[in-house]
Amino acid sequence: MASTLLINKLELLQFYDDPTDVEQGMNAAAVNAVAGEELGLALLIDYFRSVEVDAYIMPGPCSTGKRSGYRLDGWISTPETVFQVEVKNWSAHSLGGKRLPVDASPEESSRHRIVVWNDYWTGETFREESAAKVLEPMLAPQGDKRITPLIAFWDPMHPRGLPEPLFHVPLVDSVFPEVTVFSMSSYLRGLKCANLQLPLPKTLARLTILNRIFSDPLPWL
């Protein structure tokens, strides 16, 4: 438990999905730098375990194995599959981002998920190269499990507007048959709990450094 942090679900959703002032937007990049990628991976692990799939983050870089080229954010192993994972914390703060209130109606939420998905997906691949790189094969860790690309977006999205947080999209002209897509916001919106205890050792280490530099004690320590 020493490397975990308690996450306030409502505050997190409001910060990324329905920011209340300009100052929040000015701080979004800094928040992402402290916790973004690790939060995405931790929420993925929490999701898999919520559906009774044993999952863990594998050590080591997720890269092509070359000195240059694409790198992803990590590997997640499940009993049958190893996922090469990219995390994107694009949200209402991002250029062209769309707000979705936490208490949005099912109809509004469904429309939002379809629009955002079409903003990100061309019908064959992701529009942004920094997202499409997840479809490039990384140097797989040892083992004989199937390798599948998985991209974790913050934004609520789904091709048919459904609230399910994880879905699969078939690929054409690719070494992979499909890409798995995870929406952090959709997952959090479907949870009944108010708080989550997540393993975030890197985030905690960064907060600890900030606490040493700035003298006022912070509540997570």
Side-chain angles (χ1 to χ4, degrees), residues 151-197:
I151 187 161
F153 289 110
W154 171 267
D155 266 328
M157 64 179 70
H158 193 282
R160 301 189 305 280
L162 301 178
E164 59 185 16
L166 187 139
F167 55 93
H168 310 282
V169 180
L171 298 171
V172 295
D173 298 326
S174 172
V175 297
F176 298 110
E178 65 180 16
V179 58
T180 299
V181 180
F182 176 70
S183 165
M184 294 178 257
S185 177
S186 292
Y187 176 54
L188 288 168
R189 287 169 181 267
L191 295 178
K192 298 186 183 300
C193 61
N195 302 292
L196 293 87
Q197 194 84 35

Side-chain angles (χ1 to χ4, degrees), residues 37 40-41 44 62 70-75 83-90 129-135 149-153 180 182 184:
E37 294 170 3
L41 292 171
L44 262 171
C62 188
Y70 292 128
R71 295 176 69 91
L72 304 182
D73 292 316
W75 297 99
F83 294 97
Q84 56 176 60
V85 183
E86 177 67 10
V87 177
K88 292 297 177 195
N89 285 87
W90 298 335
E129 181 182 359
S130 61
K133 68 179 181 178
V134 76
L135 306 179
L150 188 158
I151 187 161
F153 289 110
T180 299
F182 176 70
M184 294 178 257

Side-chain angles (χ1 to χ4, degrees), residues 88 90-92 94-100 109-132 151 153 155-161 167 181:
K88 292 297 177 195
W90 298 335
S91 66
S94 305
L95 182 65
K98 297 174 175 60
R99 297 171 65 165
L100 182 66
S109 299
S110 180
R111 288 193 299 269
H112 178 98
R113 288 189 287 265
I114 292 172
V115 168
V116 171
W117 173 250
N118 289 327
D119 283 346
Y120 285 5
W121 183 253
T122 68
E124 295 182 355
T125 188
F126 296 106
R127 298 185 189 278
E128 298 292 333
E129 181 182 359
S130 61
I151 187 161
F153 289 110
D155 266 328
M157 64 179 70
H158 193 282
R160 301 189 305 280
F167 55 93
V181 180

